[in-house]
């Protein structure tokens, strides 16, 4: 039986999750200032956990501190996204090689069920749920390695995935109609039992995102220059 890691969220993590939802749902817009005191008042708590949560999502790349403005929501650059996804995909490819491309029946079933849910979330344009389900799907890939150490390292990069999705939505590049299909390709590769095919599908799955962002940014620059 596959062991599922248990996570008990601290107050800081709960506040960070609230902030993520607000940002991803568009309640807080890109470039908008987040006032620590106002947020603490809204959540009816002291400013300590709010300050800690803001630091956490700053490390995740969702917000940044700007001079004379304070904490504001930001989007990722092409280089930031490429780096985050290169590292993340490399760890998943390592997991595939460690398990020789084999999924347990339990993980196969969970991934199949996940694909149904991710399709529903994509149809509803529910970005927060899409991100949660995307993270869950890829966690099953890493769990196949049966390496808790690898899982912990991979899990520490979750924030980059959230920031990347937010950036794609902000740039109107969210491929909602293809999300389920893109993940299905990875599961199909596992079922074909070809390690190299699985690795290539994962690599391509991740790197097409920053490539798409790069192309869009190039188009914008050319349009502004003309």
């Amino acid at each position: 039986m596959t062991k599922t890691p248990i996570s008990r969220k601290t107050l800081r993590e709960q506040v960070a999750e609230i902030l993520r939802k607000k940002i991803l749902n568009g309640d807080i817009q890109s470039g908008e200032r987040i006032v620590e005191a106002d947020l603490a008042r809204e959540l009816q708590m002291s400013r300590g956990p709010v300050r800690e949560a803001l630091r956490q999502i700053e490390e995740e790349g969702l917000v940044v501190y700007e001079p004379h403005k304070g904490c504001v929501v930001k989007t990722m650059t092409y280089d930031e996204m490429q780096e985050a996804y290169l590292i993340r995909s490399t760890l998943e490819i390592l997991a595939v090689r460690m398990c020789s491309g084999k999924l347990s029946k339990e993980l196969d079933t969970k991934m199949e069920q996940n694909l149904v849910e991710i399709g529903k979330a994509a149809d509803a344009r529910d970005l927060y749920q899409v991100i949660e389900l995307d993270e869950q799907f890829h966690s099953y890939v890493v769990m196949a390695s049966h390496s808790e150490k690898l899982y912990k390292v991979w899990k520490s990069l979750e924030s980059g995935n959230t920031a990347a999705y937010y950036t794609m939505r902000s740039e109107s590049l969210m491929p909602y109609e293809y999300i389920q299909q893109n993940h299905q390709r990875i599961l199909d590769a596992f079922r074909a039992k070809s390690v190299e095919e699985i690795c290539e599908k994962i690599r391509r799955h991740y790197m097409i995102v920053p490539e798409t962002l790069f192309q869009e940014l190039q188009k914008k620059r050319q349009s502004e220059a003309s």
Side-chain angles (χ1 to χ4, degrees), residues 59-61 74 76-92 135 153-165 167 202-203 205-207 209-210 213:
E59 291 177 1
E60 295 174 3
K74 70 178 286 283
M76 294 180 87
T77 65
Y78 162 72
D79 288 336
E80 289 171 335
M81 189 184 292
Q82 184 184 48
E83 180 183 51
Y85 274 178
L86 177 61
I87 297 171
R88 186 177 164 97
S89 61
T90 299
L91 292 175
E92 288 184 30
E135 193 69 18
V153 174
W154 174 86
K155 189 65 175 174
S156 70
L157 300 172
E158 179 179 2
S159 56
N161 193 39
T162 302
Y165 265 109
T167 299
I202 290 173
R203 187 198 69 78
H205 176 85
Y206 276 110
M207 299 321 294
V209 179
L213 176 64

Side-chain angles (χ1 to χ4, degrees), residues 96 100-103 108 111 115 137 141 181-203 205:
V96 171
S100 300
K102 297 176 182 177
L103 281 180
D108 185 287
M111 290 170 84
L115 287 170
F137 181 90
V141 174
Q181 179 184 337
N182 291 344
H183 288 80
Q184 181 71 56
R185 290 193 184 101
I186 295 174
L187 180 55
D188 289 344
F190 268 107
R191 290 172 174 172
K193 303 185 186 304
S194 169
V195 172
E196 294 309 316
E197 182 181 351
I198 301 167
C199 293
E200 177 57 25
K201 285 291 190 296
I202 290 173
R203 187 198 69 78
H205 176 85

Side-chain angles (χ1 to χ4, degrees), residues 10-207:
T10 64
L11 186 57
R12 168 183 57 79
E13 290 169 332
Q14 291 176 47
V15 176
E17 184 170 349
I18 290 171
L19 282 167
R20 285 191 209 99
K21 285 184 178 179
K22 283 179 172 291
I23 293 170
L24 295 171
N25 291 336
D27 296 330
I28 305 175
Q29 297 291 323
S30 178
E32 185 176 341
R33 183 186 176 201
I34 302 175
V35 181
E36 183 183 300
D38 292 347
L39 188 59
R41 194 178 305 112
E42 177 188 337
L43 299 176
Q44 299 182 341
M45 63 173 60
S46 67
R47 293 171 64 169
V50 173
R51 186 179 303 113
E52 292 174 0
L54 284 169
R55 286 174 182 163
Q56 179 176 329
I57 64 170
E58 181 187 14
E59 291 177 1
E60 295 174 3
L62 279 174
V63 300
V64 64
Y65 277 94
E66 293 185 355
H68 313 299
K69 194 170 184 180
C71 190
V72 297
V73 180
K74 70 178 286 283
T75 55
M76 294 180 87
T77 65
Y78 162 72
D79 288 336
E80 289 171 335
M81 189 184 292
Q82 184 184 48
E83 180 183 51
Y85 274 178
L86 177 61
I87 297 171
R88 186 177 164 97
S89 61
T90 299
L91 292 175
E92 288 184 30
I93 287 171
L94 175 59
V96 171
R97 296 195 183 282
M98 289 175 70
C99 71
S100 300
K102 297 176 182 177
L103 281 180
S104 66
K105 185 176 180 180
E106 179 187 4
L107 282 178
D108 185 287
T109 299
K110 285 184 175 182
M111 290 170 84
E112 186 66 51
Q113 292 171 341
N114 174 281
L115 287 170
V116 174
E117 295 304 314
I118 205 170
K120 292 178 182 177
D123 288 342
R125 299 301 193 263
D126 186 340
L127 182 62
Y128 186 82
Q129 189 65 12
V130 165
I131 294 173
E132 290 281 296
L133 289 164
D134 174 87
E135 193 69 18
Q136 184 184 72
F137 181 90
H138 288 279
S139 75
Y140 295 146
V141 174
V142 183
M143 286 180 196
S145 70
H146 302 290
S147 172
E148 291 188 13
K149 185 172 291 187
L150 177 59
Y151 180 87
K152 287 179 181 178
V153 174
W154 174 86
K155 189 65 175 174
S156 70
L157 300 172
E158 179 179 2
S159 56
N161 193 39
T162 302
Y165 265 109
Y166 176 71
T167 299
M168 293 296 283
R169 194 201 68 175
S170 298
E171 295 292 340
S172 301
L173 297 173
M174 271 299 297
Y176 284 112
E177 62 273 28
Y178 301 115
I179 289 174
Q180 183 179 18
Q181 179 184 337
N182 291 344
H183 288 80
Q184 181 71 56
R185 290 193 184 101
I186 295 174
L187 180 55
D188 289 344
F190 268 107
R191 290 172 174 172
K193 303 185 186 304
S194 169
V195 172
E196 294 309 316
E197 182 181 351
I198 301 167
C199 293
E200 177 57 25
K201 285 291 190 296
I202 290 173
R203 187 198 69 78
R204 189 60 186 160
H205 176 85
Y206 276 110
M207 299 321 294

